[in-house]
Amino acid sequence: MFSKILIANRGEIAVRIIRACREMGIQTVAVYSKADRDSLHVKMAHDAICIGNAQSSESYLNIPSIISAAEIADVEAIHPGYGFLAENPHFAEICDSCQIKFIGPRPESMRLMGDKALARETVRKVGLPLVPGSKAAISSQEEALKVAKKLGYPVIIKAKAGGGGKGMKIAHNDGKLISAFMTARTEAEAAFGDPEVYIEKYIENPRHIEVQIMADSHGHIVHLGERDCSIQRRHQKLIEETPAPSLSKKLRQKICESAIKAAKSVNYENLGTIEFLVDEKEEFYFIEMNTRLQVEHPVTEMATGIDLVKEQIRIAQGEKLACTQDEVQFRYSAIECRINAEDPLNDFIPSPGKIETVTFPGGPNVRVDSHAYAGYLVPPYYDSMIGKIIGWGRNRQEAANVMLRALDEFDIKPIKTTAAFQRKIISSPAFLRGKIGTNFVDKLLKSEKIVEA
Ligand code: MV4
């Protein structure tokens, strides 16, 4: 059993992991950048070590600094959280070679699933449905044109090393395809050091459905249901929920079984999320697998009563899963709003700065995961998410009512946040009817502009 863990992250997720460790009687070591000296995760951990400058490349992404901190603090394991080094197979290998347990999947699984074209090919072999597309990376304009002709427009160009919507380009005709192909390659090279791209048929306004799985080192694997993450703007998710609204029992079953199949195909260990698109004809397609704990994990936790971070730590300790598939119960509907320090009235520009006052919601069926407090300075160097509010109930309507009430209670000054915008979404008739797709937010923003004009 671990007695001390280092958390290689910051913000709300570092706080979340420290909470799990406390309950398990595990000592915690925080690492922090010079911009995060006064951060809540630093106050909450047993120990804290400064690992460098504000810029992430010099701190939270700085592998030698983090490993040195782990050695100095003499920890047995590192939890990477999400983002930063969470899906970096090289970092996991270095942890291994230093006899520090990386709390996550094996490096080979991360490498395989990190190559989005190879991931496609791997799960295709075990029978998962894929969006029609190229089998491997496309390296010439001629080949790109040939594939697009076969698929029919529109098509989407994705970076092999990408994921999460980074570096994607949509093309509606041959002319646009050539320029999109060239830009996609250049951007992929700049962002990931790998210019390789692949092409898929573009699905219009799909629902973005993902399945949470967990797998232990003894070959046991269970799914914890799905989440709908369609409410997003520019690939930043704003609202996530479980169960996905208007998904038939049969389709849900098929998607969850497919997710297990995908994870089994790579002999997966630890937590993972398998992403799917569901189109207007109720067809579903695998798109990618994320090999980490996700931001939106709390909705699954509130719906099932399973603490995913504790499970992750138990799995890393070599323990067996605490429950079988039949024992997993889906009790509640849960909704999460990501609270970003951004101004929705000003094109969502980041709104960092000092928080003078903050009141978090409370009461029945509300959870707040946040590192914000009165007096905290939101630094401009990192992601703008300052916390998450989760509400749940016996059905979606109850969960939505709780969420709306919680958003009303939430108050923060003087920084701007997305909360009021999320309130608008959740109180909209289309959302309440469960009529959501990935175009939802853009449509809402467009309709508002027309009203203003
Ligand atoms: C797609 C798609 C449509 N067709 N793939 C976004 C996240 C990443 N994991 C994959 N994503 C998408 N992949 C095909 N073949 C639509 C999305 C998508 C999206 C695309 C453009 C603009 C906004 C989007 C929001 C959610 C999903």
Side-chain angles (χ1 to χ4, degrees):
M1 300 299 150
F2 301 140
S3 55
K4 206 197 249 185
I5 289 178
L6 181 142
I7 296 112
N9 216 302
R10 64 179 300 282
E12 70 86 19
I13 197 62
V15 168
R16 167 72 189 88
I17 297 162
I18 292 168
R19 286 178 171 148
C21 290
R22 280 231 176 233
E23 291 177 23
M24 295 174 87
I26 298 171
Q27 301 261 112
T28 52
V29 179
V31 293
Y32 62 96
S33 74
K34 285 180 184 170
D36 278 340
R37 276 186 197 291
D38 298 321
S39 204
L40 192 57
H41 77 288
V42 172
K43 299 181 203 293
M44 283 175 68
H46 293 96
D47 273 309
I49 300 176
C50 183
I51 51 166
N53 292 323
Q55 214 188 327
S56 336
S57 60
E58 294 182 24
S59 48
Y60 301 106
L61 289 171
N62 185 337
I63 296 176
S65 287
I66 292 169
I67 296 288
S68 304
E71 297 284 3
I72 290 164
D74 196 24
V75 300
E76 295 134 283
I78 296 182
H79 196 305
Y82 53 66
F84 297 125
L85 298 168
E87 293 179 280
N88 184 325
H90 174 63
F91 178 61
E93 278 166 357
I94 291 178
C95 290
D96 282 352
S97 67
C98 297
Q99 270 114 50
I100 299 165
K101 179 70 184 174
F102 175 83
I103 302 174
R106 280 185 294 275
E108 314 89 79
S109 312
M110 285 195 263
R111 195 161 276 128
L112 195 164
M113 290 303 177
D115 179 333
K116 303 299 170 183
L118 183 57
R120 248 174 83 85
E121 199 44 31
T122 306
V123 305
R124 186 188 62 77
K125 286 188 183 139
V126 295
L128 264 77
L130 302 181
V131 190
S134 61
K135 208 164 169 186
I138 304 280
S139 42
S140 74
Q141 297 183 8
E142 294 72 39
E143 210 188 339
L145 285 169
K146 221 172 88 184
V147 170
K149 197 182 189 82
K150 209 174 110 201
L151 297 173
Y153 287 102
V155 298
I156 184 164
I157 305 169
K158 299 182 175 183
K160 211 176 78 148
K166 267 178 266 157
M168 300 189 342
K169 290 271 172 294
I170 299 156
H172 290 269
N173 56 55
D174 283 359
K176 291 274 162 57
L177 177 73
I178 298 296
S179 55
F181 176 72
M182 300 309 283
T183 353
R185 281 180 63 89
T186 309
E187 286 181 12
E189 168 79 73
F192 314 112
D194 179 357
E196 299 268 49
V197 297
Y198 62 104
I199 300 181
E200 288 177 353
K201 173 85 185 164
Y202 179 62
I203 314 275
E204 308 263 10
N205 196 24
R207 278 171 282 164
H208 198 172
I209 307 287
E210 59 183 32
V211 178
Q212 179 71 60
I213 61 102
M214 61 181 183
D216 66 21
S217 57
H218 307 272
H220 306 118
I221 172 159
V222 301
H223 74 76
L224 301 174
E226 82 289 359
R227 297 183 285 255
D228 186 308
C229 305
S230 301
I231 304 292
Q232 54 81 40
R233 181 185 166 274
R234 305 212 175 141
H235 303 296
Q236 292 294 109
K237 295 170 185 167
L238 287 167
I239 300 174
E240 304 99 342
E241 59 178 309
T242 189
S246 50
L247 202 62
S248 74
K249 211 172 163 183
K250 209 171 119 203
L251 185 54
R252 167 175 297 121
Q253 188 65 23
K254 276 207 289 193
I255 293 178
C256 291
E257 277 167 13
S258 295
I260 293 210
K261 245 196 246 171
K264 277 197 175 145
S265 76
V266 295
N267 188 23
Y268 195 80
E269 179 184 325
N270 212 274
L271 295 189
T273 301
I274 297 86
E275 287 187 14
F276 298 91
L277 297 179
V278 176
D279 69 14
E280 275 147 4
K281 284 179 254 153
E282 303 285 292
E283 298 288 339
F284 73 99
Y285 312 95
F286 167 89
I287 44 171
E288 59 187 73
M289 177 167 184
N290 301 322
T291 56
R292 59 162 191 276
L293 175 70
Q294 301 221 177
V295 174
E296 58 272 27
H297 77 275
V299 292
T300 302
E301 295 188 319
M302 300 339 290
T304 62
I306 295 171
D307 185 315
L308 289 171
V309 179
K310 285 194 202 164
E311 285 304 318
Q312 246 189 325
I313 295 169
R314 287 200 193 100
I315 291 166
Q317 289 179 148
E319 290 180 58
K320 291 183 177 148
L321 293 184
C323 62
T324 62
Q325 188 66 62
D326 292 341
E327 288 165 350
V328 178
Q329 290 189 41
F330 302 97
R331 286 210 181 89
Y332 299 109
S333 278
I335 303 177
E336 171 180 280
C337 288
R338 297 188 185 193
I339 308 299
N340 296 328
E342 293 171 359
D343 184 1
L345 300 178
N346 200 354
D347 204 31
F348 293 83
I349 59 161
S351 176
K354 188 168 174 183
I355 297 172
E356 298 293 350
T357 64
V358 57
T359 308
F360 284 120
N365 297 27
V366 173
R367 164 173 170 181
V368 176
D369 280 22
S370 176
H371 59 294
Y373 61 86
Y376 174 63
L377 184 73
V378 179
Y381 309 101
Y382 314 103
D383 187 282
S384 61
M385 196 176 73
I386 53 163
K388 308 178 300 209
I389 301 175
I390 302 98
W392 64 95
R394 284 170 302 180
N395 55 53
R396 188 168 186 264
Q397 183 62 60
E398 270 192 20
N401 291 342
V402 169
M403 199 65 229
L404 290 173
R405 184 270 291 173
L407 289 169
D408 286 344
E409 285 181 25
F410 176 62
D411 182 59
I412 191 162
K413 288 185 180 78
I415 64 166
K416 304 271 197 299
T417 79
T418 46
F421 185 64
Q422 283 145 331
R423 197 187 192 294
K424 190 175 288 175
I425 293 173
I426 295 175
S427 55
S428 77
F431 181 89
L432 290 170
R433 274 187 276 122
K435 294 206 75 69
I436 55 180
T438 51
N439 289 355
F440 190 99
V441 175
D442 284 343
K443 269 195 270 182
L444 184 74
L445 288 169
K446 257 192 206 138
S447 71
E448 284 184 338
K449 285 218 178 88
I450 292 163
V451 172
E452 271 171 41

